[in-house]
């Protein structure tokens, strides 16, 4: 196995995405470099990393060592916060022959004294209805790494997902009558108020515009959202990366010549991933957030870009937009 730097990994992004795409049941967006590299660069730029690949560059094991708030040395994926993506990707683990990328990672981790707990998120959840390849992958990873210490499994993060492959009208028909009625009312009110939606994906000033909006939102006024320093760095890097690959989709809501809201996301492989949405406090009565979400969904349909709208982390309001939940499995190994 070859050991990589983060720069090496960035240069191998097509190979990493190929490995993600053949890994059953993992988050195809957050397991890939468009998400993991900006997050790692923003939140853990100095972390000690263990980035492994095989000579054919078909499989990857991507780990970093962090220190928890309790001063416990922890090994996890490149993304140190949410646990969306799987740190192990590629087809080799499905073979179960002891020569997979997960086995190589286990040997490398066993030789390192600088960690006590391994937290491996983003594996496919195993249920009686799980496809056989989901089960084989999760069991293969657990079997390879499980001898490093005491093993337990935990429910990971849940994402809300909408199926939009039949078009936005079919999707809308599946919403509740109250949901549709509220959207119609909000659309009419916004039109009377002069609210307009502007495509801003190619605007070189997009990041500055969304930051200006964020500072006037409730999240910005509380110092949360993307106004926080690490989040600001992450989204700056991610927006630049997505634009360079023609994957960025962004809309600005404007009223009376002033930006009052934004939505930003990306598309890869017929899947749209919503990344951030926000609006100024004075625009809240116009339901700008809902209207931005609806506009993005309609545009994806009009341009025939996506079959799936991934809304991200499970939050109550997203359930009204979603058709299903996707929950991951986390592997926890205590070496102590």
């Amino acid at each position: 196995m070859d050991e990589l730097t983060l720069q090496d990994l960035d240069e191998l992004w097509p190979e990493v995405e190929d490995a993600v795409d053949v890994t059953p049941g993992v988050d195809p967006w957050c397991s890939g470099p468009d998400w993991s590299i900006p997050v790692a660069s923003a939140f853990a730029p100095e972390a000690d990393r263990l980035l492994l690949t095989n000579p054919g560059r078909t499989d990857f094991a991507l780990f970093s060592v962090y220190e928890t708030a309790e001063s416990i040395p922890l090994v996890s994926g490149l993304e140190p916060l949410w646990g969306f993506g799987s740190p192990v990707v590629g087809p080799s683990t499905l073979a179960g022959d002891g020569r997979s990328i997960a086995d190589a990672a286990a040997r490398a981790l066993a030789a390192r004294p600088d960690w006590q707990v391994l937290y491996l998120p983003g594996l496919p959840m195993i249920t009686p209805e799980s496809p056989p390849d989901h089960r084989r992958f999760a069991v293969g990873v657990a079997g390879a790494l499980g001898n490093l210490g005491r093993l337990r499994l935990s429910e990971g993060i849940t994402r809300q997902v909408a199926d939009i492959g039949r078009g936005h009208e079919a999707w809308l028909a599946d919403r509740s009558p109250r949901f549709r009625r509220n959207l119609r009312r909000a659309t009419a009110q916004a039109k009377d108020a002069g609210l307009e939606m502007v495509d801003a994906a190619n605007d070189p000033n997009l990041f500055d515009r969304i930051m200006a909006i964020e500072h006037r939102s409730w999240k910005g006024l509380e110092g949360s959202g993307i106004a926080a320093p690490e989040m600001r760095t992450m989204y700056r890097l991610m927006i630049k990366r997505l634009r360079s690959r023609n994957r960025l989709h962004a809309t600005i809501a404007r009223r009376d010549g002033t930006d009052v809201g934004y939505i930003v996301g990306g598309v890869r492989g017929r899947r749209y991933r919503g990344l951030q949405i926000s609006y100024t406090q004075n625009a809240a009565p116009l339901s700008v957030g809902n209207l931005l979400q609806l506009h993005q969904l309609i545009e994806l349909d009009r341009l025939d870009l996506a079959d799936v709208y991934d809304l991200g982390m499970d939050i109550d309001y997203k359930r009204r937009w979603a058709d299903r939940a996707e929950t991951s499995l986390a592997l926890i190994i205590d070496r102590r």
Side-chain angles (χ1 to χ4, degrees):
M1 294 291 170
D2 298 327
E3 195 161 343
L4 306 172
T5 66
L6 198 62
Q7 180 61 40
D8 295 332
L9 190 69
D10 199 2
E11 293 172 1
L12 289 170
W13 67 267
E15 288 87 348
V16 179
E17 290 185 344
D18 288 344
V20 170
D21 290 342
V22 297
T23 306
V26 302
D27 181 336
W29 182 272
C30 293
S31 299
D34 282 348
W35 174 266
S36 61
I37 290 179
V39 175
S41 300
F43 284 92
E46 304 301 326
D48 188 15
R49 310 193 196 281
L50 177 65
L51 310 177
L52 300 176
T53 186
N54 58 347
R57 307 297 192 253
T58 59
D59 299 82
F60 295 84
L62 309 174
F63 293 102
S64 290
V65 181
Y66 310 101
E67 189 169 283
T68 69
E70 295 78 23
S71 299
I72 297 172
L74 173 83
V75 172
S76 190
L78 285 177
E79 170 207 302
L81 292 182
W82 300 278
F84 286 112
S86 170
V88 178
V89 292
S92 67
T93 301
L94 292 168
D97 59 3
R99 293 178 293 177
S100 74
I101 192 70
D103 292 293
R107 291 189 293 271
L109 288 168
R112 293 182 64 131
D114 59 344
W115 65 276
Q116 295 180 10
V117 176
L118 168 66
Y119 179 76
L120 197 156
L123 299 177
M125 178 60 73
I126 302 303
T127 69
E129 295 77 32
S130 297
D133 58 347
H134 288 206
R135 182 181 299 274
R136 276 194 296 144
F137 177 70
V139 169
V141 173
L145 294 164
N147 292 328
L148 292 171
R150 186 180 62 187
L151 169 68
R152 66 185 177 94
L153 303 177
S154 174
E155 183 173 300
I157 202 161
T158 297
R159 291 173 291 107
Q160 291 295 330
V161 175
D163 296 311
I164 60 174
R166 296 180 297 137
H168 78 275
E169 291 182 349
W171 169 86
L172 194 58
D174 290 337
R175 303 309 104 194
S176 71
R178 180 182 179 183
F179 182 88
R180 297 196 301 269
R181 183 170 59 251
N182 287 343
L183 278 181
R184 287 195 300 269
R185 183 183 300 119
T187 300
Q189 290 175 344
K191 183 178 180 180
D192 291 342
L195 191 74
E196 60 175 338
M197 302 292 180
V198 179
D199 179 14
N202 294 317
D203 184 350
N205 298 315
L206 171 64
F207 185 74
D208 292 336
R209 293 175 72 180
I210 68 175
M211 286 306 304
I213 295 167
E214 190 75 7
H215 285 303
R216 292 180 286 134
S217 73
W218 69 266
K219 290 184 286 187
L221 294 172
E222 289 183 356
S224 59
I226 67 169
E230 292 87 354
M231 290 286 281
R232 185 167 63 242
T233 299
M234 180 187 101
Y235 277 103
R236 178 178 54 79
L237 294 172
M238 198 173 294
I239 285 171
K240 180 180 179 180
R241 184 184 188 93
L242 293 176
R243 179 182 285 129
S244 72
R245 287 158 175 75
N246 198 31
R247 294 174 175 178
L248 180 66
H249 293 267
T251 298
I252 300 285
R254 290 174 59 80
R255 185 186 185 193
D256 297 331
T258 301
D259 295 347
V260 296
Y262 72 87
I263 185 169
V264 175
V267 171
R268 186 177 83 81
R270 303 289 301 175
R271 189 181 190 97
Y272 171 84
R273 176 55 151 87
L275 296 172
Q276 193 66 229
I277 183 170
S278 194
Y279 47 87
T280 61
Q281 279 198 315
N282 62 358
L286 293 175
S287 299
V288 173
N290 285 338
L291 293 175
L292 282 164
Q293 197 101 268
L294 178 63
H295 175 82
Q296 198 81 315
L297 195 148
I298 291 172
E299 283 297 288
L300 292 169
D301 179 22
R302 182 180 69 83
L303 297 171
D304 190 25
L305 290 174
D307 299 319
V308 173
Y309 191 127
D310 187 337
L311 293 131
M313 185 182 296
D314 182 22
I315 301 174
D316 283 347
Y317 85 86
K318 295 180 182 179
R319 297 174 188 174
R320 297 190 292 272
W321 295 81
D323 295 300
R324 55 193 166 88
E326 293 184 355
T327 300
S328 62
L329 180 70
L331 178 71
I332 304 169
I333 296 173
D334 194 332
R335 194 184 203 182
R336 290 170 291 181

